Amino acid sequence: MSLLNKFKNGLSKTRQFVTESFNRVAAGLGVFDEDFLDELEMILIQADCGVEVSTKLVDSIRDRIRADGKVDREYILDNLKRDMLNILGTKPFQPNFDHLHVVFMVGVNGTGKTTTAGKIAWQFQKQGVKCMLAAGDTFRAAAIDQLKVWGERANVPVIANTLGSDPASVVFDAMQSAKARNIDLLIVDTAGRLHNKPNLMNEMAKMRRVAAREGEAVGAIIQSLLVLDATTGQNAVIQARSFNEVTSLDGLIITKLDGNAKGGIALAVADEMEIPLVYAGLGEGIDDLAPFDPRLFVDSLLPEV
Ligand SMILES: Nc1nc2c(ncn2[C@@H]2O[C@H](COP(=O)(O)OP(=O)(O)OP(=O)(O)O)[C@@H](O)[C@H]2O)c(=O)[nH]1
Ligand SMILES: [Mg+2]
């Protein structure tokens, strides 16, 4: 499936909502006037673009209409697209594998860390990158088995320890193994945690310290990707902001964009954060992950012109 179709399928609920609402309001009012712009703002808010972003987008269209003195459906959609693209400036997750690259998947419970770890491993493994997964979630009973299943699906080795063991010791083992086997990309799954639980945040910091120490001799690059669940709406923005305050983040992943009509949340997150959106989770399957492409995202979110 092409990347565009992946985005289109994944965001179909949001696009359907936005398109139907847009068409209904346009048909009802018959003109693209102030009332239309107010309704458009409401549609964007309901698609979870956030109040701030929705207001900003509509204000910018209003200003242009005033300046240009003309307006039609195409004009509105083109301008909306352009402004959304400005908000979504992203940078792809493109590790260079001259050195071992270690990525920690972090975030609150249930956002899709384990699933996304498996999907990323699969994507790179297919390209011939030597990947390894580490089961850094030793807390939840099924977490280790879940990661092992992803390891099998992605055809990638999984380093795991027993339930309840220190996650930092899993990282230590995985680093030894990754160095011995000349691994390019080591993805560490971690337990879901809240940013305001100091003991859990300290545990994560310890995992990173162990990776940094064990990776020093081979010049390993250590990164963290924050996984956010689109279906939690504006909470995702709060999580992004809060995690960023207490840990260093290198990229953001928004999962479950297929889950409901709230795909606009990516815009709210991008507007709030300086950290790039690197992946979009567009379904539960192994191939349902795409590098976050702003143009494909916007084309999939908005009605056809
Ligand atoms: N529809 C959809 N479901 C997803 C996506 N990503 C993950 N999921 C589902 O979300 C649920 C939770 O995913 P996990 O990967 O277990 O989440 P987690 O963050 O590892 O959860 P904890 O380890 O408990 O914190 C699973 O049922 C996944 O299949 C996505 O992009 N789309
Ligand atoms: Mg998990």
Side-chain angles (χ1 to χ4, degrees):
M1 197 193 291
S2 75
L3 267 185
L4 174 62
N5 282 337
K6 243 186 222 186
F7 271 92
K8 285 224 145 140
N9 281 350
L11 284 159
S12 60
K13 286 184 184 146
T14 308
R15 186 177 58 259
Q16 195 180 342
F17 167 75
V18 174
T19 303
E20 282 175 10
S21 310
F22 189 101
N23 291 345
R24 181 171 31 79
V25 172
L29 292 171
V31 281
F32 296 96
D33 58 0
E34 269 303 315
D35 286 348
F36 178 84
L37 292 180
D38 287 345
E39 295 285 346
L40 179 61
E41 189 173 342
M42 283 313 297
I43 296 170
L44 295 172
I45 290 172
Q46 284 172 58
D48 242 331
C49 296
V51 174
E52 225 169 285
V53 168
S54 305
T55 306
K56 193 156 88 178
L57 287 168
V58 170
D59 281 350
S60 150
I61 296 182
R62 186 178 286 117
D63 288 347
R64 292 218 193 100
I65 292 175
R66 283 206 186 111
D68 289 355
K70 57 164 189 152
V71 61
D72 57 17
R73 176 189 168 88
E74 189 177 347
Y75 182 94
I76 299 238
L77 287 172
D78 281 351
N79 278 291
L80 205 48
K81 272 187 192 176
R82 196 188 321 159
D83 290 335
M84 284 183 166
L85 283 175
N86 278 338
I87 292 174
L88 285 172
T90 66
K91 208 172 82 198
F93 175 65
Q94 251 169 358
N96 93 43
F97 295 114
D98 294 345
H99 301 280
L100 168 62
H101 203 104
V102 185
V103 175
F104 286 86
M105 309 298 293
V106 305
V108 307
N109 292 293
T111 55
K113 295 174 293 300
T114 307
T115 305
T116 310
K119 290 173 175 175
I120 294 176
W122 167 240
Q123 292 210 342
F124 280 100
Q125 195 277 132
K126 273 193 303 188
Q127 296 165 26
V129 173
K130 281 183 81 176
C131 298
M132 178 179 274
L133 287 161
D137 180 355
T138 58
F139 181 73
R140 195 166 59 82
I144 297 171
D145 288 338
Q146 188 192 358
L147 193 72
K148 283 183 178 164
V149 169
W150 274 106
E152 274 168 32
R153 279 186 200 143
N155 198 17
V156 164
V158 178
I159 303 296
N161 208 328
T162 47
L163 191 65
S165 59
D166 183 353
S169 76
V170 178
V171 174
F172 180 87
D173 291 349
M175 289 298 291
Q176 307 315 315
S177 183
K179 287 187 285 183
R181 291 157 84 164
N182 258 323
I183 293 294
D184 300 311
L185 177 62
L186 169 64
I187 304 172
V188 185
D189 185 30
T190 72
R193 71 197 68 226
L194 288 172
H195 60 90
N196 58 3
K197 293 275 188 290
N199 54 335
L200 293 178
M201 293 314 285
N202 288 341
E203 179 194 86
M204 206 169 75
K206 184 174 165 197
M207 281 192 263
R208 270 191 72 128
R209 274 200 309 278
V210 169
R213 190 185 67 214
E214 298 309 311
E216 200 175 359
V218 293
I221 313 273
I222 319 288
Q223 292 196 321
S224 293
L225 300 180
L226 177 67
V227 183
L228 301 164
D229 175 344
T231 63
T232 61
Q234 297 299 311
N235 269 329
V237 179
I238 297 168
Q239 286 164 26
R241 202 188 298 143
S242 311
F243 264 83
N244 192 37
E245 280 165 10
V246 292
T247 184
S248 112
L249 297 174
D250 301 280
L252 306 171
I253 297 171
I254 303 200
T255 62
K256 310 188 201 179
L257 281 164
D258 56 302
N260 57 21
K262 305 274 184 192
I265 190 63
L267 285 151
V269 170
D271 191 53
E272 169 77 21
M273 306 294 292
E274 305 263 298
I275 303 155
L277 291 171
V278 291
Y279 282 112
L282 298 161
E284 290 188 278
I286 196 163
D287 276 316
D288 296 330
L289 182 79
F292 199 101
D293 184 314
R295 190 163 286 280
L296 298 185
F297 175 83
V298 169
D299 283 345
S300 305
L301 190 80
L302 293 176
E304 311 250 333
V305 171

